[in-house]
Amino acid sequence: MNIENFFKEIVSLKSLIVLTGSGVSNESGIPTFRGEDGLWKNFRPYELATPAAFERNPKIVWEWYNYRREIILKSKPNLAHYGIKKLEGLMKEFLLITQNVDNLHRDVGSEKMIEIHGNIFRTRCTRCGKINFEKKVYDEKEIPPVCSDCKGLLRPDVVWFGESLNEELLSIAFNFAKKTEGILVVGTSGIVYPAAYLPFIVKEKGGKVFEINIEKTPITEIADLIILRKCNEIFSYFS
Ligand code: OAD
């Protein structure tokens, strides 16, 4: 389909969800999870992204998150992040739901958004619960970092395997999905739940499903319009 028409259809709606995954940040230089050079190809999720892994060896888990922070801090948002911010300004009702923890949507000024898998630059104290946000890479001797107030161990404020998502954010996402006229799904494999339910809920309630990805996903089957190309390229038609 013609890309200009793709965006025309989207902005003609009254309300829109944009659901993003790691593919959105791939052209910024941040690896996805399941692609050729995906993070889960080179690292074992259960040794790095679970509460048990953190209990066993917080230092190793922190080294991995620190390494990811370093990659992210060297990267810049791309046209997809900017284009999604522009959509926020054009739509009457809008919600960006991102599975990404990299903060790049915030960096371009996205505001009507929720980060359902957390944020890599946020820490949460495992003792007093204090939340802190700091865009930094830790020195090796600071790892694992501790709370400035109570000296408890800090953890990355992200969702790990086996953990539940924040209830409040989930209900915002699902309530919006039930009433929105459309959802644009960008750069996600659509296999991690509950996020992957969202396009199916929109469809069931009569909304339209738009998808941008470099390959087909389980969401493609229900998509009304799909563009199989890199999102940075696609959003260059919308800047
Ligand atoms: P995946 O690695 O599963 O999927 C990335 C998707 O982006 C794939 O469908 C790619 O085809 C697509 N993609 C890659 N480059 C692209 C580009 N330039 N333009 C458009 N599409 C592109 O990553 P996610 O779907 O984000 O969860 O994974 C979902 C969750 O699984 C993550 O949030 C993370 C992971 O386990 C947690 O950590 C809780």
Side-chain angles (χ1 to χ4, degrees):
M1 128 157 260
N2 174 301
I3 298 168
E4 275 97 358
N5 288 344
F6 181 84
F7 285 115
K8 258 189 209 153
E9 287 250 3
I10 291 174
V11 297
S12 73
L13 303 173
K14 268 207 223 84
S15 47
L16 181 72
I17 288 179
V18 177
L19 172 66
T20 62
S22 59
V24 163
S25 299
N26 201 12
E27 289 163 273
S28 294
I30 301 172
T32 61
F33 289 93
R34 299 176 179 78
E36 285 278 294
D37 298 316
L39 286 170
W40 295 153
K41 286 267 151 64
N42 301 309
F43 299 95
R44 296 197 185 103
Y46 287 98
E47 283 171 21
L48 293 163
T50 66
F54 189 66
E55 234 168 75
R56 208 164 43 232
N57 195 338
K59 189 161 182 279
I60 258 193
V61 171
W62 260 114
E63 275 166 1
W64 189 60
Y65 278 92
N66 209 34
Y67 158 76
R68 287 176 58 198
R69 280 180 173 219
E70 202 174 339
I71 296 175
I72 293 166
L73 283 176
K74 282 189 196 139
S75 67
K76 288 197 174 64
N78 64 57
L79 292 179
H81 298 100
Y82 287 102
I84 292 165
K85 164 67 191 158
K86 185 173 167 187
L87 275 173
E88 175 181 324
L90 291 173
M91 306 302 302
K92 206 158 167 234
E93 286 177 49
F94 180 90
L95 182 65
L96 166 60
I97 303 171
T98 187
Q99 300 166 85
N100 300 342
V101 297
D102 59 27
N103 206 63
L104 291 185
H105 287 299
R106 284 191 192 280
D107 288 341
V108 300
S110 285
E111 282 170 0
K112 294 179 181 170
M113 65 170 284
I114 52 176
E115 295 163 310
I116 52 171
H117 289 168
N119 184 305
I120 199 164
F121 296 111
R122 246 181 8 231
T123 54
R124 187 163 86 234
C125 178
T126 56
R127 190 182 293 162
C128 71
K130 183 182 166 192
I131 303 274
N132 206 29
F133 176 90
E134 201 175 2
K135 270 180 143 188
K136 68 174 270 188
V137 175
Y138 290 100
D139 285 341
E140 209 170 327
K141 55 181 187 323
E142 291 179 284
I143 285 181
V146 293
C147 179
S148 54
D149 286 359
C150 76
K151 305 290 174 238
L153 185 61
L154 297 182
R155 60 162 283 176
D157 195 20
V158 298
V159 178
W160 282 330
F161 287 101
E163 291 186 316
S164 308
L165 275 62
N166 179 299
E167 290 282 334
E168 203 181 314
L169 296 185
L170 270 187
S171 86
I172 293 171
F174 281 85
N175 285 336
F176 206 107
K178 284 179 200 156
K179 58 169 204 200
T180 185
E181 287 191 355
I183 183 168
L184 168 62
V185 185
V186 193
T188 179
S189 55
I191 57 172
V192 175
Y193 292 88
Y197 284 126
L198 292 164
F200 290 87
I201 290 171
V202 174
K203 185 81 181 180
E204 198 183 288
K205 298 281 178 189
K208 284 206 161 165
V209 177
F210 303 84
E211 187 180 30
I212 300 174
N213 202 303
I214 49 172
E215 58 188 27
K216 292 188 175 169
T217 70
I219 295 160
T220 313
E221 284 172 36
I222 58 154
D224 296 276
L225 294 173
I226 160 143
I227 295 187
L228 288 174
R229 259 170 72 182
K230 290 186 174 175
C231 56
N232 186 44
E233 272 170 41
I234 298 306
F235 274 97
S236 69
Y237 291 81
F238 187 64
S239 49

